[in-house]
Amino acid sequence: MIVRPILWAFLLSVLGSGCADFPDLDERLSGESRSAKFPALLPIEDLTGTPGIAQIDDKLLPEFEARVAALQARAALLRRSVIDANDSNRLSQRPVVAETG
């Protein structure tokens, strides 16, 4: 039976991995990291609440409109076909195989 040696090999590899020597991660921490305070914990309601609506003032409006126009132009370029009509027509035709003789 081939299953038994495979099972033993798996079992020995699992048991052997428990004996591995892992580096002590606490030694890698700097003194500043050890003395750092934990971040403040917030209630989940504060984190998942709806954000306030951003206000666009008149000074930023032209900048946003220019960015929107640039993104729309980029999207239009990405929507264009990569292959022109002539190449597309040529690719849709059946290939011609030259006879050797």
Side-chain angles (χ1 to χ4, degrees):
M1 290 178 130
I2 197 164
V3 175
R4 230 177 232 174
I6 293 174
L7 183 61
W8 276 111
F10 176 72
L11 183 63
L12 288 175
S13 66
V14 169
L15 290 175
S17 66
C19 300
D21 187 25
F22 293 104
D24 192 10
L25 297 178
D26 289 335
E27 292 176 8
R28 294 180 177 233
L29 290 176
S30 66
E32 183 180 316
S33 298
R34 289 177 194 223
S35 63
K37 295 185 178 186
F38 286 104
L41 298 177
L42 299 174
I44 192 71
E45 292 81 21
D46 293 351
L47 300 174
T48 59
T50 56
I53 298 173
Q55 299 293 323
I56 300 176
D57 54 352
D58 292 336
K59 291 185 279 185
L60 293 177
L61 189 59
E63 180 182 336
F64 282 116
E65 288 175 343
R67 185 160 185 220
V68 167
L71 289 172
Q72 287 174 341
R74 185 175 176 196
L77 283 175
L78 291 173
R79 276 190 226 106
R80 285 187 7 202
S81 177
V82 177
I83 301 172
D84 63 0
N86 187 25
D87 289 337
S88 178
N89 191 18
R90 191 172 54 91
L91 287 170
S92 66
Q93 295 174 0
R94 188 175 181 164
V96 177
V97 179
E99 292 185 28
T100 58

